[in-house]
Amino acid sequence: MADVVALTAPARPESVRVARQVVARVAADLEFPYDEVDDLRLAVDEACAYLLSLDPPGSTLGVRITTSRGRLEVVASTNARLEGWPPAETPESLAWQILSALVDEAAFETDAAGPAIRLRKRRPDRKA
Amino acid sequence: MTETRGPKTSLGEEDEAELFARAAEDPAAREQLAERYSPLARYLARRLAGRGEPVEDLVQVAHVGLLSAIDRFDPSREVKFSTFATTTIVGELKHHFRDTGWAVRVPRRLQEMGLKLSRLVPELSHELGRSPTIKEIAKRADLSEEEVLEAMDSQQAYTAVSLDAPFDEGSSPAETLGSEDETLGLMDAWASVAPAIRQLPARERRILYLRFFRGQSQTEIAEELGISQMHVSRLLARTLERLRVNLG
C-alpha cells in the first residue's frame, strides 16, 4: 500500500524550497541515507526549477510524493501550457542530464495539470 | 563579407567550427553564434531568476557571459560549446548577484551546523562503512533531525532558483573550468555518460555533479564534503578514469 504526500504551491522560487524540504523529510523518514537524501533534494530542485522556467510559466507548482517499501517517487508538475512539451532533444538537455545522474529514473511527462517530471529513487539496501 | 540570406537552415557542426574560427576577426560570425545560442542564455537567466529582480537584466548579463564564452572557446578541446557556455554564463550570473547584493547570507547558526555536519558525516560514513541515515547523524551531532535537514538545505550553496552563499572570491569562470584537459573531453559524450554515472558511489556522483554542473572548484567541493582538496582531486581523477574505462 503506497503513502502519498502532496503539496500545491504558487509557482515561485520559495515554493521550490518548501518542496525540497518536504521531500527530504519524507526520504529521511524512510531511512534514506544522507547522500541519497541530498541527491533527491537536488533532483527535486532541478525538476521544479525547470518547470518554473517554462515560458510562459504556470501559476502553480504541484509536488506529489509516493512512497512504498523503500521506494520513493516524486512527480512535480505545473499548469503551464503544453506547447513545446516535452522539450525536444530531451536526453541532451542539461536538466535531464542532471536529473538522470541524481535519481534512478527521471522522465518528462504530462499529468492532469500540465507538464510534469517524474523522479524515482530506491533506498539502497543496507548490509548488516 | 557578403552573406546570402536564404531560408533558415540548421548549421552543421562543421559550419559552427568555421564560425568559431572566424569569430575573433569577423563580428558577423560572432553575431551568428550569439544568435544561435541566445536561447541557452535566456534559459539560464530564467532558471536563476527569483527574488524580484527583473529577468531582463539577467538576460542581458547572461548574454555578456555568452559573448565571453564565444571569445574564449577553443573548439580543438573537444568540449561541447553548450556545456562550456553554460558554465561561463552561470558564473557571470552569480558574479552579478554577488555584486548587486542579491545573495542572501546564511544565518550563523546554520553555517555552524553545516560545518559540524561536514566533519561528522564523513566520520560516521567511515565508521559505518556506508552513508549514515539522518537519524544516525542527528544522534552523533546532538541535533534534532529537523536541524540536520535544515543544515543540509542551507549548505547547498548553489541551487537552480536561489543563491544562498557568496561565490568563491578568487575564482573566475575560467578557473572553475579548471585545467583538467582530458576530463573536458568527456563532456562531449555527457549524454552517454549519465547512465555510467548512476553506477558510481553516491559521493563520487556528487563530486562530478558539483564540479561540472555547479562549476564549483575543488576547494569548494572539499569544504562541502569535509575532506581535503587533495582528496577531491584524487577522487575526481579516479572517477573520471573509471568512466572513461566504462565508456570504452
Side-chain angles (χ1 to χ4, degrees), chain A residues 42 45-46, chain B residues 94 155-168 209-210 214-217 220 224:
Chain A
L42 290 170
D45 191 78
E46 288 294 341
Chain B
K94 284 172 182 166
Q155 247 194 338
Q156 188 176 318
Y158 311 101
T159 86
V161 286
S162 70
L163 298 158
D164 287 339
F167 195 70
D168 180 30
Y209 171 75
L210 291 174
R214 292 301 184 211
Q216 289 190 20
S217 67
E220 287 166 319
E224 191 162 326

Side-chain angles (χ1 to χ4, degrees), chain B residues 10 19 46 57 60 69 72 112 154 196 230 238:
Chain B
S10 60
L19 282 176
R46 284 201 308 271
D57 287 1
Q60 281 197 35
R72 292 189 303 111
E112 283 167 1
S154 73
M230 277 293 294
R238 208 179 65 194

Side-chain angles (χ1 to χ4, degrees), chain A residues 13-14 16-17 20-21 24-25 28-29 31-39 41-42 45-46 48-50 52-55 91-92 94-98 100-105 121 126-127, chain B residues 43-44 46-47 49-51 80 86 117 121 130-137 145-146 148-150 152-153 155-156 158-162 164 190-191 194 197-198 202-203 205-206 209 213-214:
Chain A
E14 290 78 6
V16 178
R17 258 190 97 156
R20 274 203 324 250
Q21 298 199 354
R25 180 72 259 181
D29 281 340
E31 311 231 319
F32 272 68
Y34 184 86
D35 288 339
E36 315 298 316
V37 173
D38 211 18
D39 281 351
R41 283 188 327 106
L42 290 170
D45 191 78
E46 288 294 341
C48 290
Y50 190 77
L52 258 51
S53 76
L54 295 175
D55 190 20
E92 298 291 304
L94 194 59
W96 190 85
Q97 289 172 7
I98 294 173
S100 62
L102 294 170
V103 294
D104 297 328
E105 290 169 46
K121 199 164 176 74
R126 265 181 288 162
K127 317 229 152 75
Chain B
Y43 166 76
L44 290 169
R46 284 201 308 271
R47 275 265 306 272
R51 305 186 183 285
K80 262 176 92 159
T86 298
L117 285 191
V121 174
R130 54 165 171 84
S131 184
T133 63
I134 304 302
K135 194 188 294 188
E136 287 165 343
I137 296 168
E145 287 188 38
E146 270 67 36
V148 173
L149 289 174
E150 232 194 308
M152 187 197 274
D153 203 54
Q155 247 194 338
Q156 188 176 318
Y158 311 101
T159 86
V161 286
S162 70
D164 287 339
W190 191 258
I197 289 177
R198 263 181 276 153
R203 184 177 62 173
R205 257 184 305 160
R206 184 124 171 76
Y209 171 75
F213 289 106
R214 292 301 184 211

Side-chain angles (χ1 to χ4, degrees), chain B residues 28-96:
Chain B
R30 199 170 177 253
E31 185 61 34
Q32 263 197 62
L33 288 167
E35 245 178 66
R36 179 151 215 253
Y37 284 96
S38 174
L40 175 64
R42 279 204 296 276
Y43 166 76
L44 290 169
R46 284 201 308 271
R47 275 265 306 272
L48 294 198
R51 305 186 183 285
E53 74 286 343
V55 176
E56 269 318 302
D57 287 1
L58 295 182
V59 169
Q60 281 197 35
V61 172
H63 276 98
V64 169
L66 173 59
L67 289 173
S68 163
I70 290 171
D71 291 338
R72 292 189 303 111
F73 184 59
D74 178 3
S76 69
R77 282 181 121 189
E78 290 181 28
V79 183
K80 262 176 92 159
F81 178 71
S82 55
T83 311
F84 181 85
T86 298
T87 313
T88 310
I89 291 169
V90 170
E92 194 72 38
L93 286 165
K94 284 172 182 166
H95 271 117
H96 172 77

Side-chain angles (χ1 to χ4, degrees), chain A residues 54-56 78-87 109-116:
Chain A
L54 295 175
D55 190 20
T78 185
N79 59 345
R81 291 217 304 260
L82 281 170
E83 277 163 55
W85 183 270
E109 301 184 343
T110 306
D111 82 353

Side-chain angles (χ1 to χ4, degrees), chain B residues 163-227:
Chain B
L163 298 158
D164 287 339
F167 195 70
D168 180 30
E169 294 290 316
S171 71
S172 66
E175 281 162 35
T176 60
L177 282 177
S179 56
E180 299 130 348
D181 289 307
E182 313 164 332
T183 68
L184 289 178
L186 258 187
M187 299 307 290
D188 202 44
W190 191 258
S192 52
V193 166
I197 289 177
R198 263 181 276 153
Q199 309 289 335
L200 296 173
R203 184 177 62 173
E204 270 78 356
R205 257 184 305 160
R206 184 124 171 76
I207 292 178
L208 276 187
Y209 171 75
L210 291 174
R211 185 90 187 86
F212 291 108
F213 289 106
R214 292 301 184 211
Q216 289 190 20
S217 67
Q218 290 185 7
T219 309
E220 287 166 319
I221 297 173
E223 265 165 33
E224 191 162 326
L225 297 185
I227 58 182

